[in-house]
Amino acid sequence: MSAFDDLYAANARFATTFANSELTGRAARGLAVVTCMDSRIDPLGLLGLKAGDAKILRNAGARVTDDVLRTLVLAVYLLGVERVLVMPHTDCGMTKVTDSDVHALTQERGVDTRSLEFHTVPDQHEALRHDLTRIRTTPFLPEGTPVAGAIYDVHTGRLTPAPF
Ligand SMILES: [Zn+2]
């Protein structure tokens, strides 16, 4: 028995009817989505996408970190991505704590996380604006690559495009 047996069993059932084996690693809809790790978000479902359509990059808070930029460069030049949507969401845990709060929480468990930057989000619009600018101004992506931001409402399922 392992902590993962439920998943292996589910996969065994999944594989019996698997039919996506003709797909390539290129994003069929030319899209990359940067979103949060929040378990309420179904990025493919809420955007009308299916497996094979898009690159989905997830982290805490949908932040555009160095690693997200690195991945976007690979997605664009190697894997068919031509547009990027950054999609944070309402009720995000990252908007409810500061980096100092997280350090204090881990400290209570005897762990020092001060060498980690958590990219917590004191102001969601400001963070989104910052992250969009980061993608739009990177010298590593083709000039004119469409980049948009939109906030997903985890309670209504609605996406609200950012006005910037
Ligand atoms: Zn979140």
Side-chain angles (χ1 to χ4, degrees):
M1 285 288 286
S2 85
F4 305 95
D5 285 348
D6 56 333
L7 307 177
Y8 300 145
N11 175 257
R13 291 190 294 276
F14 171 80
T16 60
T17 56
F18 184 68
N20 284 332
S21 56
E22 302 300 313
L23 292 172
T24 73
R26 292 181 69 81
R29 300 276 296 272
L31 174 68
V33 179
V34 180
T35 193
C36 185
M37 68 173 176
D38 193 290
S39 44
R40 294 169 289 187
I41 301 172
D42 168 12
L44 296 183
L46 78 94
L47 295 169
L49 304 170
K50 59 185 189 311
D53 282 348
K55 300 299 173 193
I56 310 295
L57 288 58
R58 302 186 74 155
N59 62 26
R63 301 309 313 272
V64 176
T65 60
D66 287 349
D67 194 62
V68 165
L69 272 183
R70 172 191 74 90
T71 305
L72 287 175
V73 169
L74 294 167
V76 166
Y77 293 98
L78 278 65
L79 299 168
V81 165
E82 297 168 336
R83 51 184 175 150
V84 181
L85 177 67
V86 181
M87 190 177 73
H89 65 99
T90 60
D91 197 37
C92 183
M94 290 286 281
T95 65
K96 299 173 182 179
V97 292
T98 64
D99 276 37
S100 299
D101 294 336
V102 180
H103 295 316
L105 278 170
T106 60
Q107 194 74 53
E108 286 171 14
R109 306 269 296 266
V111 174
D112 186 348
T113 53
R114 286 174 298 173
S115 62
L116 290 178
E117 201 178 330
F118 290 107
H119 304 284
T120 49
V121 179
D123 178 331
Q124 191 166 54
H125 278 100
E126 190 47 47
L128 180 54
R129 191 191 306 271
H130 172 275
D131 286 347
L132 292 174
T133 298
R134 191 153 190 225
I135 299 174
R136 287 171 178 150
T137 60
T138 178
F140 302 120
L141 292 176
E143 216 169 296
T145 299
V147 180
I151 296 178
Y152 175 66
D153 187 322
V154 293
H155 295 119
T156 66
R158 287 191 193 286
L159 199 57
T160 303
F164 41 81

